[in-house]
Amino acid sequence: MFRAARPDDFPQVVRLYRQLNPDDPHLTDGSDERAFARILATEGPHLFVLGVDGACGCSGDAKTAYLARPS
Protein backbone atom coordinates (compact mmCIF):
# COMPACT_ATOMS: atom_id res chain seq x y z
CA MET A 1 0.00 0.00 0.00
CA PHE A 2 1.37 3.43 -1.00
CA ARG A 3 0.58 6.09 1.62
CA ALA A 4 1.88 9.09 3.50
CA ALA A 5 4.35 8.22 6.25
CA ARG A 6 3.06 8.06 9.82
CA PRO A 7 4.90 8.42 13.14
CA ASP A 8 4.92 4.63 13.63
CA ASP A 9 6.95 4.26 10.39
CA PHE A 10 9.96 5.90 12.05
CA PRO A 11 11.98 2.73 12.86
CA GLN A 12 11.69 1.34 9.33
CA VAL A 13 12.39 4.71 7.66
CA VAL A 14 15.52 5.14 9.80
CA ARG A 15 16.66 1.64 8.83
CA LEU A 16 16.27 2.51 5.14
CA TYR A 17 18.12 5.82 5.46
CA ARG A 18 20.96 4.10 7.33
CA GLN A 19 21.39 1.81 4.33
CA LEU A 20 21.80 4.92 2.14
CA ASN A 21 24.06 6.78 4.58
CA PRO A 22 25.79 4.19 6.76
CA ASP A 23 28.35 6.72 8.06
CA ASP A 24 25.72 9.04 9.54
CA PRO A 25 25.79 9.06 13.35
CA HIS A 26 23.36 6.86 15.25
CA LEU A 27 21.55 9.32 17.48
CA THR A 28 20.43 8.27 20.94
CA ASP A 29 19.08 11.56 22.28
CA GLY A 30 15.73 11.40 20.46
CA SER A 31 16.60 14.23 18.07
CA ASP A 32 16.17 11.90 15.10
CA GLU A 33 12.60 11.05 16.07
CA ARG A 34 11.85 14.74 16.71
CA ALA A 35 13.19 15.58 13.23
CA PHE A 36 10.97 12.89 11.73
CA ALA A 37 7.95 14.34 13.52
CA ARG A 38 8.83 17.81 12.14
CA ILE A 39 9.05 16.38 8.63
CA LEU A 40 5.63 14.78 8.95
CA ALA A 41 4.13 18.01 10.32
CA THR A 42 5.68 20.34 7.73
CA GLU A 43 3.62 21.63 4.83
CA GLY A 44 5.28 21.08 1.49
CA PRO A 45 7.74 18.23 1.76
CA HIS A 46 6.16 14.83 1.70
CA LEU A 47 7.41 11.45 2.76
CA PHE A 48 5.65 8.41 1.38
CA VAL A 49 6.04 4.77 2.24
CA LEU A 50 5.23 1.62 0.37
CA GLY A 51 4.42 -1.30 2.62
CA VAL A 52 4.56 -4.84 1.27
CA ASP A 53 4.25 -7.86 3.57
CA GLY A 54 5.46 -5.89 6.60
CA ALA A 55 8.44 -4.37 4.76
CA CYS A 56 8.69 -0.65 4.19
CA GLY A 57 10.17 1.43 1.39
CA CYS A 58 10.05 5.20 1.30
CA SER A 59 10.23 8.13 -1.06
CA GLY A 60 10.65 11.79 -0.31
CA ASP A 61 12.20 14.88 -1.79
CA ALA A 62 15.45 16.79 -1.24
CA LYS A 63 13.84 19.15 1.26
CA THR A 64 12.71 16.17 3.34
CA ALA A 65 16.26 14.85 3.55
CA TYR A 66 17.57 18.34 4.40
CA LEU A 67 15.08 18.72 7.27
CA ALA A 68 16.35 15.47 8.80
CA ARG A 69 20.04 16.45 8.75
CA PRO A 70 21.57 17.64 12.03
CA SER A 71 22.05 21.40 12.27
Side-chain angles (χ1 to χ4, degrees):
M1 170 191 297
F2 184 76
R3 60 175 171 74
R6 302 182 305 234
D8 62 323
D9 293 315
F10 175 73
Q12 292 182 349
V13 170
V14 167
R15 184 179 53 80
L16 288 169
Y17 273 101
R18 285 188 180 144
Q19 290 176 7
L20 294 172
N21 300 297
D23 296 330
D24 278 359
H26 289 230
L27 305 174
T28 58
D29 63 356
S31 61
D32 53 349
E33 197 159 0
R34 289 190 301 274
F36 186 71
R38 278 196 322 272
I39 290 166
L40 296 183
T42 300
E43 286 291 323
H46 300 285
L47 182 65
F48 297 100
V49 296
L50 176 64
V52 178
D53 295 331
C56 177
C58 67
S59 174
D61 59 25
K63 189 174 179 184
T64 302
Y66 174 77
L67 286 170
R69 299 293 296 178
S71 341

